[in-house]
Amino acid sequence: MTRTRLALFGGTSAFYLIVVVAVLLSTWLVTLDWKIMLFRPYQQWPELHAFLDYYVVLGQRGPTAVMVAAWLGWRSWRQHTLRPLLSLGAALLLLNVTVGAVKLGLGRLGPHYATQVGSAELFAGGDIFPSGHTANAVVTWGILAYLATTPRARRYLSALSAVVALGVGLTTVYLGTHWLSDVLLGWAAGLLILLALPWCEPVIAVVEAWILERRDRIAERLRARRRLVPSLPVASGGPRLFPAPAEEPAREAVGAAASHARPARSRPSSDRLTA
């Protein structure tokens, strides 16, 4: 990991902790959450509601994972490597474990289920802090920039993924499904996963080598079986799986059967009799 990436990882981790502590202590950040919630952006600009209902799907794990996995699967096939798909799998695994653990541990309720004005709504059985939509948008679309093969493609894809993730996070605030602090923590959580992916590269390489080795073994077994399978039915003259047993030599008959089996002696010709 480069110094720049390490510095970004440290700074993002510090920002992550600051947001968590600010919510735990019910600071000005929680007050801002409530002000935005009571402002109700979806009522202020109702004409955007229909479009943003569809736009927020770009942060849903199922649809985005299928779309990105299809693209990375094609790349894996073209480049004859499993690294793109394995990197996506590792990123989603980290996302589920880290974000899911914090969600369940803090148990924060969403704006639509809030019970007390000004409260942080923590440890109440919720699961929205950090925002899964936001973190998933950062990771799923950011993995395309992470796996880019040229600096130019990496810059363009980084800008595109940042815009998508920014839009998804703000859309959840507009729709009232997340507090602003949820989105801030979701951005940080997704970025931390992308920054930590280089540490997973050795494990990804080992898993790829193991999968390819198993694939080669299975392919070799299938080729060996095909060599034993007859191309034509045996009854039609095709090759046999096993050689036919050699025929035993005919045994000479003995006893009474031998007299019947012997050939009859030829009678003397008429020339010999007349001589």
Side-chain angles (χ1 to χ4, degrees):
M1 179 177 284
T2 63
R3 291 183 178 179
T4 302
R5 187 180 292 269
L6 190 59
L8 287 173
F9 187 85
T12 307
S13 300
F15 178 79
Y16 188 101
L17 291 176
I18 290 173
V19 173
V20 172
V21 172
V23 174
L24 286 172
L25 299 179
S26 297
T27 61
W28 61 269
L29 185 56
V30 176
T31 303
L32 181 60
D33 285 339
W34 275 98
K35 287 183 178 180
I36 296 175
M37 181 267 190
L38 295 175
F39 180 69
R40 292 181 173 84
Y42 57 90
Q43 291 182 356
Q44 302 296 326
W45 303 286
E47 64 276 6
L48 299 177
H49 202 290
F51 169 74
L52 293 179
D53 268 340
Y54 289 101
Y55 182 83
V56 78
V57 176
L58 294 176
Q60 287 186 0
R61 192 160 307 165
T64 55
V66 170
M67 289 187 289
V68 174
W71 168 253
L72 295 181
W74 180 80
R75 277 191 55 185
S76 294
W77 176 73
R78 286 291 302 273
Q79 299 174 359
H80 304 285
T81 176
L82 296 176
R83 180 174 172 264
L85 284 176
L86 292 177
S87 298
L88 175 63
L92 293 180
L93 179 62
L94 289 174
L95 178 67
N96 289 332
V97 172
T98 58
V99 174
V102 177
K103 278 175 173 285
L104 296 178
L106 295 178
R108 192 181 193 187
L109 294 175
H112 291 313
Y113 302 97
T115 58
Q116 183 179 354
V117 177
S119 170
E121 301 295 334
L122 293 171
F123 310 111
D127 60 351
I128 64 156
F129 184 65
S131 168
H133 269 70
T134 305
N136 184 71
V138 174
V139 171
T140 306
W141 301 110
I143 196 74
L144 299 179
Y146 175 79
L147 295 172
T149 55
T150 63
R152 183 179 181 181
R154 186 173 294 109
R155 286 194 300 269
Y156 288 157
L157 289 174
S158 296
L160 178 63
S161 61
V163 170
V164 172
L166 181 66
V168 168
L170 294 179
T171 297
T172 61
V173 175
Y174 166 86
L175 296 174
T177 56
H178 279 287
W179 308 99
L180 177 63
S181 55
D182 299 341
V183 173
L184 295 177
L185 199 64
W187 283 330
L191 185 57
L192 284 175
I193 291 171
L194 291 178
L195 292 172
L197 269 182
W199 288 328
C200 301
E201 289 293 343
V203 178
I204 291 173
V206 171
V207 173
E208 180 183 17
W210 182 82
I211 293 176
L212 293 179
E213 181 183 1
R214 296 292 298 176
R215 182 201 63 179
D216 293 340
R217 287 184 180 180
I218 294 174
E220 182 61 30
R221 290 176 183 174
L222 292 176
R223 285 193 294 267
R225 289 182 180 181
R226 287 170 186 167
R227 286 194 291 266
L228 296 177
V229 175
S231 57
L232 292 174
V234 175
S236 302
R240 297 175 180 269
L241 289 176
F242 304 99
E247 296 182 0
E248 297 181 358
R251 298 181 179 179
E252 184 178 358
V254 295
S259 60
H260 295 286
R262 293 174 181 173
R265 296 180 179 178
S266 59
R267 296 181 180 178
S269 63
S270 57
D271 295 338
R272 292 182 181 179
L273 294 175
T274 55

